[in-house]
Amino acid sequence: MAKLKELAAQKEKFVGGHRGCAGCGAAIVARQVLMAAENPVVVGAATGCLEVFSTIYPYSAWNVPYIHNAFENVAATMAGVEAGYRALKAKGKVKKDLRFIAFAGDGGTYDIGLQALSGMIERRHRVLYVCYNNEAYMNTGIQRSSATPRGAHTTTSPAGKVVPGKLQLRKNLTEIVIAHEPAYAAQATFAYWNDLVTKVRKALDADGPSFINVYAPCRLGWAYAPEKTVKVSKLSVETCIWPLYEYENGTYRISVKPKEKKPITEFLNMQGRFGHLFNWKDDVPVKEYQAEVDFIWERLLKRSEAAG
Amino acid sequence: MIVARTGNEAMAEAMRQINPDVVAAYPITPATEVVQLFSKFVHDGQVDTQFVPAESEHSAISACVGASSTGARVMTSTASQGIALMHEILFIASGLRLPIVICLVNRALSSPINIHCDHSDSLASRDSGWIQIFTENTQEAYDTTIIAVKVAEAASLPAMVTTDGFIISHGMERVELVDDEAVPKFLGERKIQHSLLDVDNPKTFGALDLQDYFFEHKRSEIDAMDHVLPIIEKVQDEYGKLSGRHYPLVDEYRMDDAEVAILCMGSTGGTGKVAVERLREQGKKVGLVRCRVYRPFPKEAMVAALAKAKVVGVLDRSDTMSTLGGHLYNDARSILYDSDMRPHLKNYVYGLGGRDISIEDIESIYKELFAIQKTGKVDKDIVYFGVRGE
Ligand SMILES: Cc1ncc(C[n+]2csc(CCOP(=O)(O)OP(=O)(O)O)c2C)c(N)n1
Ligand code: SF4
Ligand SMILES: [Mg+2]
């Protein structure tokens, strides 16, 4: 269990002064993940909001070695970094015990970067891949991704007169990753900072590829007031929209079980991206989204019960 | 040691001797063998390399970028669709000034799909900031692979060494190898300014670079290209001392008193040299110029070579799809613009998709060039040689 005081006393590895929006969830993810790391780390980031707002030359928010290559290839890039490390370590040119973390948004992970991620895990590179999931392509102006939920308004799934936002459900990427049998996989979000820090430590200790899908509310794309970010993060867990669980050695474990499962409308009505659903002619989009959430949650309960 | 090797085997052999820290690659005809043979070296413990059998060429070159940023010596091999898929990352590798070396086996780009040689794949990546060296035969492919590693590291720029698909990649030839121990000694250790693994001095690689700095950084990359030719000459000179084989930037063959000449790249240089010999036996003053180093372009050496002839037939195994003919033709025209000695130029685009070019074909081209010399007129400046209905 991490102690808040100890974490707070650390030298910051991801510093303020960057150009992220006030209340940006992605920035909190980067900071919390790096806080959790006990060994020295080398970081890679995919093109996206986090990369853009943290490294505008000649400034950098990263107090750790950092590389950005392109949008779809952070997994391959960090696989290469890890391979270079292994080679140089074997030759005695690097002495320290390092860890490697790849950051990418949902676009860089669920969509364009999925193949590289799959390859990285299959080849068993010891890299922690963190997807900061803000459920759309924010950097390019809020376009839909395969992580965007049913009904959400984005600029390529707009709330129109005949189509109320996105028609499809979210891709369950965490399960796709789990099908690769990584050394460790989990879902997290920063409102539950202790859960997140614990998971990052487990992932970095695992001798193999690991993956954490971190729910990262985006005040701009989700259209809510900046001070609500942590509240939105918390509600995603309380509504079971973003279940906190982990997968290790063939077993599922729900790490935070909400006392009472709230209806998703409590989460939806806080955010402008779902606003149109409340004036829509029927409740089909909301119902479909709720059904998806229920299905995944029930299945998760069964899987974690089966594990005991 | 003298051995019989195909171009692919020779390049793989060079890679074995180089013993790179990391190789990340993906198979594609006709370069597959390079990757296969190298995997065997890895699994037989003949090299210390971390081998990353990537799930695509895009990931292979991306992993090369990551690995090279750590300070590791990094190589890969590909062809055609493979380098096309790498295209995006080629610019990132050069922009980050990473001396990755690609053994590139030239193959036509689809469509129509084809597996045989032309130069459309290398030339589509012409402007990506990579050093490009085209080789004529198996021996040269082997030697140049070793030379390229040292050049790339000295210049802090990536390099690709090419062979002609099947013609060289699968053609068995006599090859003289340098001793195993001599190669690492010749190359030395890779020296770097900043390693991504230096956690005590953390650096940001690949920052977002906007209007206020991007241009200066690009200018410094162009400047680096400006300094490459002397580096190549120096390394080729050192390699000549080691191996007894001396390579030029521009390969001139019987040009001293040549009246007409052809300019070409790759294996056609070898075919053309035989044609030159045959015609010389008949007392014809013909010569050949082969562009070995293509990027950066050896302007001075090339102008000096071409200016010796009255008529030059430029043989391009590629077309720019611009109505302006092949790549080499356009380069030749451009560099001769300011020259006092301007030979007549005629462009022969030939051999696309691996269509063979024979000694007799080249002899017939020389014959046409002599006719141009006589009339002082180029009838048609761009022709598509050996195409039905042309
Ligand atoms: C090959 C390629 N295609 C498209 C883009 C444009 N692009 C840059 S970031 C981005 C979306 C990023 O979305 P995500 O990964 O979810 O990160 P976010 O910006 O939401 O944090 C897109 C489409 C690009 N840089 N490269
Ligand atoms: S748009 Fe969203 S993800 Fe991007 S900086 Fe703003 S809050 Fe963060
Ligand atoms: Mg996103």
Side-chain angles (χ1 to χ4, degrees), chain A residues 105-107 132-139 145:
Chain A
D106 48 296
Y132 67 94
N133 178 8
N134 53 25
E135 298 192 321
Y137 304 161
M138 297 311 176
N139 184 49
S145 77

Side-chain angles (χ1 to χ4, degrees), chain A residues 84-85 88-98, chain B residues 70 195 197:
Chain A
Y85 164 71
L88 298 180
K89 191 129 197 241
K91 290 182 180 161
K93 291 184 187 172
V94 176
K95 302 273 186 301
K96 289 191 176 163
D97 212 8
L98 309 185
Chain B
T70 68
S195 166
L197 302 182

Side-chain angles (χ1 to χ4, degrees), chain B residues 309-328:
Chain B
K310 307 268 182 319
V311 185
V312 177
V314 185
L315 271 60
D316 269 298
R317 206 165 200 147
S318 63
D319 189 81
T320 56
M321 296 289 169
S322 63
T323 74
L324 296 177
H327 295 80
L328 202 48

